[in-house]
Amino acid sequence: MKFIEIFLLGSSLEKLNKIGSDSRESIYYNKFKKKMQPTIIEYSGTKSLSNNSIIKPKNISNIKFSLDYRNCVSKNFNNDFNFIRAKQILGSWLGIILKFKFKKPFFLRIGYSYANVKFHENFLGKLLYPIYTIFEYCTIILSDGIIFSSQTLKNKYRFLAKFKKYVIIPNPVINDFIPSYKKFTNRKYNFIYVGRVIRVKGSDRLENIISELNNGVVIGHKSNKLNVSKNIYIDRV
């Protein structure tokens, strides 16, 4: 079975590699290949890390690429795939365009609410929140099925979920990353935080919490921008 996987607008495996977030994706797609044949639509890169990608040409903007300007995306495909899937809401309109061009089902994965992200970013985001929300609803309505990454997201869109086929699939935990259990009697560090240090992920709350703690480790892109002392910071591993 073949399918098209559409990355978040502006994203790619190469960009994820630069911030240390590509390991999960690479394992994920390698496992996929045992059962299916994904073709990934990416927004950057000179050489695809997946070995089966359509990469945006440098002379085309992200927006034009996502709108299939002059068939820059669709010209790469025959009608021999089974379905289309978008990894996130932002940029998913490309999936809708391909759905109508090729008359194939389009499935939308929702890992977070883009409207909520913009709402918490700044005052302008709060003003535009209703518009972003309408955009999300329209995307869901035009999809043929939804993959929610959590029950919380399913509850947020519960009204629309009543009329759509959906499934809840949480983000995976890779077994290779889980060490064998050890009982600790003495801790080297008081806490360890791993994750991107951005506001939508709660970086402001993290700063307030660990300002009261010392001897900790924060691992995450741009972690050195946190205004907290007496802790260890690692940008990526």
Side-chain angles (χ1 to χ4, degrees), residues 1 7 19-20 29 31 37 42 60 71 81 84 121 127 134 147 165 171 180 184 206 208-209 213 219 226 231 237:
M1 181 177 287
F7 260 47
I19 61 174
Y29 286 116
K31 288 185 178 292
Q37 298 178 48
E42 305 183 64
I60 298 178
N71 299 316
F81 58 91
I84 305 154
E121 275 188 356
L127 290 177
I134 291 171
I147 303 169
K165 293 181 180 179
N171 289 330
S180 56
F184 294 96
L206 173 66
N208 291 335
I209 293 170
L213 298 172
I219 303 173
L226 283 173
N231 292 301
V237 292

Side-chain angles (χ1 to χ4, degrees), residues 5 19 36 42-43 51 54 85 95 116 120 137 147 176-177 181 183 197 199-200 206 208 215 225-226 231-233:
E5 179 89 313
I19 61 174
M36 310 176 82
E42 305 183 64
Y43 283 86
N51 297 319
I54 306 299
R85 187 178 79 156
N116 281 3
H120 290 289
Y137 283 11
I147 303 169
D176 296 345
F177 292 170
Y181 175 76
K183 186 175 182 179
V197 184
R199 188 173 179 82
V200 70
L206 173 66
N208 291 335
N215 192 33
K225 291 189 176 182
L226 283 173
N231 292 301
I232 298 172
Y233 300 96

